[in-house]
Amino acid sequence: MQHLEVKLASEDVDAKTGEFTGYGAVFGNVDSYGDVIAKGAFKASLREWEDRGKYPPMLLQHGGGFMAGADGMLPVGQWTAMEENAKGLKVSGKLFAMGTERGQYIYEGLKAGALDGLSIGFKARKWTMRSKPEEPRRTLEDIDLIEVSIVTFPANGKARVSGVKSSDDIKTIREFEDFLRDAGGFSRAAARAIAMGGFKATDPRDEDGADLAALLRRNIETLSK
């Protein structure tokens, strides 16, 4: 089994539920091993997991981090959604045991950005080797997804947790744009247009005395409907 890590953008881990979002892999980005994942590489494997009625396990450091020994492969949470979009493999999950020291430790690591990587464990089923020196070592075209871990040191700097932040933490239009890009998968131009359009669509009188975070929350709620 091989590992391919992505950096997590700590943004949306809910303090009460332990829910968070991010990208387990990003398309078109060469990792530290010289591999790049092609769009569509996860489709077959995701269909296979769907047929089983579940998603791959959520581990910490691929089973060798927080807990050692026989308990190392115990999941630290559960993935609740996985899908391919234009950016990569988008994942949503929920940490276990948030009321325990272990659960809080992992949550604090995500929130602080110390545990800010996601990594996939996989078997490559189809790939293309480079034909020129400047090309990636391999282009992975079909991946058998085994597990998705929270890790400290990602190999792919763009595979990150993008969900350890609630809308209460958004204070500026720029932060709202970042939220739309990281959590929503929007392009930079689309996120800016949505953010600015959302503000213009509100009553200008609200901006004088209203709380900015509340205004942003209303925009987010509108987008999610």
Side-chain angles (χ1 to χ4, degrees):
M1 183 169 68
Q2 302 168 67
H3 297 149
L4 180 61
E5 298 87 1
V6 185
K7 195 74 172 168
L8 282 171
S10 58
E11 231 177 271
D12 274 324
V13 177
D14 187 272
K16 294 181 179 179
T17 66
E19 296 177 345
F20 66 100
T21 60
Y23 280 86
V26 175
F27 298 139
N29 183 52
V30 180
D31 67 25
S32 61
Y33 300 110
D35 290 338
V36 64
I37 301 177
K39 293 180 179 180
F42 295 102
K43 286 186 177 179
S45 189
L46 289 178
R47 283 196 300 267
E48 292 163 6
W49 279 104
E50 184 178 352
D51 290 342
R52 300 176 203 172
K54 60 180 182 179
Y55 294 107
M58 180 195 299
L59 303 179
L60 182 66
Q61 315 289 13
H62 300 294
F66 191 89
M67 296 184 296
D71 291 336
M73 297 304 290
L74 286 177
V76 297
Q78 180 180 26
W79 296 113
T80 57
M82 287 189 183
E83 65 172 352
E84 276 201 15
N85 61 20
K87 181 176 179 179
L89 179 66
K90 186 175 182 179
V91 297
S92 299
K94 182 177 181 179
L95 296 173
F96 289 154
M98 283 292 289
T100 67
E101 181 179 352
R102 172 173 169 268
Q104 281 296 307
Y105 187 93
I106 297 173
Y107 162 75
E108 291 293 343
L110 289 172
K111 185 67 176 177
L115 277 173
D116 64 346
L118 287 179
S119 177
I120 61 172
F122 70 97
K123 295 178 181 178
R125 295 193 286 207
K126 181 181 178 182
W127 65 90
T128 301
M129 298 299 295
R130 65 183 167 199
S131 58
K132 300 177 182 179
E134 64 271 17
E135 294 178 346
R137 181 178 69 97
R138 293 188 306 177
T139 298
L140 303 174
E141 300 170 352
D142 185 6
I143 286 176
D144 183 8
L145 188 60
I146 307 299
E147 52 90 8
V148 182
S149 284
I150 300 169
V151 297
T152 306
F153 301 108
N156 187 324
K158 293 187 177 180
R160 300 187 177 240
V161 170
S162 63
V164 189
K165 179 178 178 182
S166 69
S167 57
D168 288 330
D169 296 317
I170 301 174
K171 306 299 182 184
T172 67
I173 295 178
R174 174 58 63 83
E175 289 176 355
F176 185 40
E177 288 180 25
D178 292 341
F179 173 84
L180 291 170
R181 288 164 52 205
D182 292 330
F186 292 97
S187 67
R188 182 185 298 273
R192 176 169 297 180
I194 292 169
M196 297 303 295
F199 274 95
K200 291 176 181 177
T202 59
D203 188 337
R205 293 171 296 180
D206 290 343
E207 299 183 63
D208 294 332
D211 178 71
L212 181 57
L215 187 61
L216 289 168
R217 282 198 298 275
R218 289 202 297 274
N219 288 334
I220 295 168
E221 289 167 0
T222 300
L223 287 171
S224 63
K225 292 179 180 178

